[in-house]
Amino acid sequence: MKKQIRLKVVFYQTSSGNEPVREWLKRLERPDKKTIGEDIKTVQLGWPLGMPLVRKLDDGLWEVRSSITHGIARVTFTVHQEQMILLHGFIKKSKKTPTSELQISKKRLKTLREVL
């Protein structure tokens, strides 16, 4: 029996039309893209999910946690009207999420909320 998709995945777009998460994913090695894609699909099919795959960061802000070849990848997202909007992607180099990466995600979420 095929699982029903609960969320449609959408890439956050900047005002100039760029899609930062899509561009980041394209630069990764094929096995890492596959791992992250599978993890996003798991969230898409099973939402709502929690640890260890998904962690809430803030009000309306979550991260998909993926173990990749050279570290730990994170893709932050928000959910709006059955859409999983991918806001930011990065590779962690330490246990704690860098403040700068979290600020990028929060800024994009704020921008997105202004237009929704």
Side-chain angles (χ1 to χ4, degrees), residues 94-112:
S94 64
K95 283 194 174 241
K96 192 170 184 336
T97 300
T99 304
S100 60
E101 304 291 1
L102 192 54
Q103 287 174 338
I104 291 168
S105 299
K106 287 181 177 184
K107 182 179 177 188
R108 290 180 182 163
L109 178 58
K110 182 177 185 273
T111 302
L112 187 63

Side-chain angles (χ1 to χ4, degrees), residues 35-91:
T35 298
I36 294 167
E38 288 171 354
D39 289 344
I40 289 170
K41 186 172 184 176
T42 299
V43 176
Q44 189 181 14
L45 294 171
W47 183 255
L49 294 173
M51 292 288 279
L53 184 60
V54 176
R55 183 171 73 115
K56 186 170 185 170
L57 298 173
D58 204 357
D59 182 39
L61 183 64
W62 292 269
E63 68 178 0
V64 178
R65 304 156 47 93
S66 301
S67 293
I68 59 171
T69 312
H70 301 291
I72 303 165
R74 297 292 188 254
V75 176
T76 61
F77 69 96
T78 191
V79 175
H80 178 73
Q81 294 182 348
E82 299 177 7
Q83 291 185 328
M84 176 184 188
I85 305 169
L86 307 182
L87 299 170
H88 183 49
F90 59 97
I91 297 174

